[in-house]
Amino acid sequence: MAKIRVHELAKELGIPSKQMVETLGNLGLEVKNHMSTMEESQVAWVRKRLGYEPETVPEKTPVKPTAKPTQAPQRPPTRERGEARPETAAPAQPVPPGVKQAP
C-alpha cells in the first residue's frame, strides 16, 4: 500500500502541519512530526473523522499549444558581386623597424 506523509495530508486538507500533528494525536494516532507516514487506510479514516471527502481530480485534457509563427532574425542585406566589403576594423598600423610581428 502507498503511504502518505502527514504534511502532504495537511496540505491537501488545507490545515497547517503542526495542527494536523496535534489533531492526529487527539484522534489516537501516534505521529511524531510532519514527516511521519500514514497508511492509505489511516488517511481514509482521518478524512472520514474530520469530515473531508477526497476530491475527485478531473482528468486533464491535453491542451494543444498555439504556435505563433516566428520570424527568422533579419540578416543584413547581401552585397552585389564586385561590390567592396565595408571596412569593419581600422587599418593596421605599420610596424616600427626592429620589432618582430607575432605569427
Side-chain angles (χ1 to χ4, degrees):
M1 283 189 121
K3 292 189 175 193
I4 185 170
R5 297 210 182 262
V6 171
H7 72 87
E8 292 172 344
L9 178 61
K11 183 177 180 182
E12 180 181 316
L13 301 179
I15 301 172
S17 297
K18 189 174 183 177
Q19 183 181 346
M20 178 59 79
V21 171
E22 291 173 7
T23 303
L24 294 174
N26 293 338
L27 291 174
L29 293 175
E30 293 182 27
V31 292
K32 293 181 180 180
N33 57 35
H34 68 284
M35 292 299 290
S36 298
T37 57
M38 300 169 46
E39 295 288 337
E40 278 293 325
S41 59
Q42 292 174 316
V43 172
W45 181 79
V46 169
R47 284 184 184 134
K48 188 175 180 180
R49 290 289 302 246
L50 296 179
Y52 291 97
E53 293 298 321
E55 294 180 14
T56 55
V57 179
E59 292 184 28
K60 293 183 179 180
T61 55
V63 178
K64 293 181 181 178
T66 56
K68 293 182 180 178
T70 58
Q71 291 183 339
Q74 295 292 328
R75 293 178 53 182
T78 57
R79 56 188 171 88
E80 297 293 324
R81 247 181 209 265
E83 193 176 322
R85 285 190 170 172
E87 288 293 324
T88 56
Q93 298 291 330
V95 179
V99 176
K100 293 184 179 179
Q101 282 188 323

